[in-house]
Amino acid sequence: KAIVQYQETLGMDPNLDIARFELGKLLLKTKKYDLALATIDVLVSKEQENPEYYYYLGRVWESLNNQKRADEAFRNAVQKDSTHLRSLYSLARSFVSKKEKDSVLKYVDMGLRFYEDDVSMINLKALAFFNNGQFGMAIPHFERLLELGEEVPFVYNRLAHSYFRDLELEKAQKTYHQLMKFPEYLADAYSGLGEVFLKEQ
C-alpha cells in the first residue's frame, strides 16, 4: 500500500526527493531490485550531496550480486561524508571477503576514528588480521570485542585459535573453556584443547 501511495505521489510531483527515496528503500526491502535501482538512480543522477542515496544504491547493487558497482556506490557515499559508518562498514566487509587486508584496514580505521567502540568495525579489523595469519595482531581486537560485551562463540573461537597460534597456550586453554559454555561449539572447544595439550606435550 505504501509503495502505491508513493508512486501516485511521485506521479503528481516527480521532484519530491524524500518520497522517491522512501519508495526506493521500500522497493529494496520488498526485493523489487530493478525498480529500486531505477528509483534510487534518479536521485543519484541529480548529483546531490546526500550519502544515503549512494549507500542505498550500493545496497541495491549488492542485492543484484554486483559487488563491484556496490563498492563504487559505497565509495561515493564516503566521498560525500567520510564519517558515513554504514558505507565504511560495507566497503570493509567487502574487502574482508576478498582477503584484502590493507583495504579493510583503510576503511575500518576511518570508521574507528569517529566511532572507536563500534563492535562491527572492530570485528572486521580482527578478522582482517586473523584471515591474514597475523594472529598476534588480531588478539587485542578480539579481546576488545569481549570487553565491549560481545561474548559470542565466534569471538571466543577465533580468539582461542589466535592465542594458540601465538603460543599463548594458557590463555588459549582458558578461552577454549569459555567456548564450552556454548553447546553447539563443544566439538570446536575440545578439538582446540586437544591441539593445545598436544603442543604442551
Side-chain angles (χ1 to χ4, degrees), residues 62 67 71 74-75 87-109 112 119-134 138 141-142 145 154 158:
E62 275 186 334
Q67 194 60 50
D71 288 348
F74 295 136
R75 275 195 200 92
S87 295
L88 290 168
Y89 173 79
S90 297
L91 280 166
R93 187 190 62 208
S94 169
F95 288 117
V96 162
S97 67
K98 297 172 193 166
K99 299 194 173 178
E100 294 181 26
K101 184 195 77 167
D102 292 341
S103 297
V104 175
L105 296 178
K106 173 187 172 183
Y107 291 108
V108 164
D109 287 340
L112 290 174
V119 294
S120 299
M121 287 298 206
I122 295 168
N123 182 47
L124 288 180
K125 190 166 189 173
L127 282 176
F129 288 121
F130 184 89
N131 291 343
N132 204 46
Q134 294 175 285
H141 304 294
F142 285 127
L145 288 172
F154 170 84
R158 294 286 195 283

Side-chain angles (χ1 to χ4, degrees), residues 26-145:
L26 281 174
L27 291 167
L28 172 63
K29 196 172 190 173
T30 54
K31 301 182 179 182
K32 295 179 172 80
Y33 301 129
D34 291 330
L35 286 173
L37 181 62
T39 304
I40 294 172
D41 233 5
V42 171
L43 296 168
V44 169
S45 66
K46 292 182 179 183
E47 295 185 9
Q48 298 190 36
E49 293 302 304
N50 190 339
E52 286 287 291
Y53 297 162
Y54 293 92
Y55 168 72
Y56 276 95
L57 180 63
R59 293 269 314 278
V60 173
W61 279 121
E62 275 186 334
S63 301
L64 291 166
N65 297 315
N66 190 331
Q67 194 60 50
K68 186 179 177 188
R69 298 293 294 270
D71 288 348
E72 195 178 297
F74 295 136
R75 275 195 200 92
N76 283 329
V78 171
Q79 281 178 347
K80 305 287 178 197
D81 176 5
S82 63
T83 69
H84 197 268
L85 191 63
R86 290 185 297 174
S87 295
L88 290 168
Y89 173 79
S90 297
L91 280 166
R93 187 190 62 208
S94 169
F95 288 117
V96 162
S97 67
K98 297 172 193 166
K99 299 194 173 178
E100 294 181 26
K101 184 195 77 167
D102 292 341
S103 297
V104 175
L105 296 178
K106 173 187 172 183
Y107 291 108
V108 164
D109 287 340
M110 283 174 72
L112 290 174
R113 223 172 291 143
F114 302 100
Y115 311 97
E116 63 183 33
D117 289 338
D118 186 90
V119 294
S120 299
M121 287 298 206
I122 295 168
N123 182 47
L124 288 180
K125 190 166 189 173
L127 282 176
F129 288 121
F130 184 89
N131 291 343
N132 204 46
Q134 294 175 285
F135 302 105
M137 302 280 281
I139 287 170
H141 304 294
F142 285 127
E143 289 174 338
R144 183 76 183 121
L145 288 172

Side-chain angles (χ1 to χ4, degrees), residues 158-177:
R158 294 286 195 283
L159 178 58
H161 185 75
S162 298
Y163 282 141
F164 172 71
R165 294 298 299 270
D166 208 43
L167 298 178
E168 296 188 54
L169 301 180
E170 194 176 322
K171 286 184 177 178
Q173 196 179 131
K174 284 179 183 170
T175 310
Y176 278 125
H177 279 292

